[in-house]
């Protein structure tokens, strides 16, 4: 019983370590994206979008800068496998993990009670 309990605790610690690494990577991607968009560097922000999200914009570089995305502090990160949600002051972003790393699938998202989020930019 002692060995089993130790194994469970070790697995929990490993899982927590992975979650922390994912959280940090997701947070870093979201912060780089919002910083680039907020500072008028649309090209850099567009590179951090998921391909479908970038294609959904007629002129990504201009539209991403003019979208008025939130630039506040990260208030929460939730990671579920290859999907993540980042809450910042005045904004929510959704990210997906691709082979090359995390990319923003939706940004400028506002919750709607009983309905999906409404997003300014989405795939």
């Amino acid at each position: 019983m002692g060995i089993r309990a130790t194994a469970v605790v070790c697995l929990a610690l490993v899982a927590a370590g992975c979650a922390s690494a994912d959280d940090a990577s997701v947070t870093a991607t979201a912060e780089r994206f919002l910083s680039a968009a907020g500072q008028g560097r649309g090209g850099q922000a567009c590179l951090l979008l998921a391909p479908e999200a970038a294609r959904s914009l007629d002129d990504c570089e201009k539209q991403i800068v003019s979208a008025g995305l939130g630039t506040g502090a990260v208030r929460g990160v939730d990671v579920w496998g290859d999907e993540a949600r980042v809450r910042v002051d005045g904004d929510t972003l959704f990210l997906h993990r691709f082979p090359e790393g995390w990319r923003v699938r939706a940004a400028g998202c506002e919750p709607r009670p009983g309905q999906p989020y409404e997003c300014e930019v989405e795939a």
Side-chain angles (χ1 to χ4, degrees), residues 9-94:
V9 169
C10 288
L11 287 174
L13 290 173
V14 168
C18 292
S20 296
D22 281 344
D23 288 2
S25 183
V26 167
T27 299
T29 300
E31 288 174 338
R32 284 193 320 269
F33 171 77
L34 291 171
S35 175
Q39 294 176 7
R41 294 178 282 124
Q44 289 177 352
C46 289
L47 290 175
L48 294 169
L49 285 173
E52 310 87 38
R55 285 192 298 268
S56 75
L57 301 172
D58 293 329
D59 185 344
C60 186
E61 291 184 25
K62 288 183 182 176
Q63 285 182 275
I64 207 71
V65 170
S66 66
L69 303 174
T71 57
V74 171
R75 299 294 180 202
V77 176
D78 301 300
V79 178
W80 306 279
D82 290 338
E83 303 298 327
R85 176 180 64 184
V86 177
R87 293 179 313 278
V88 297
D89 294 331
D91 201 350
T92 301
L93 293 90
F94 292 92

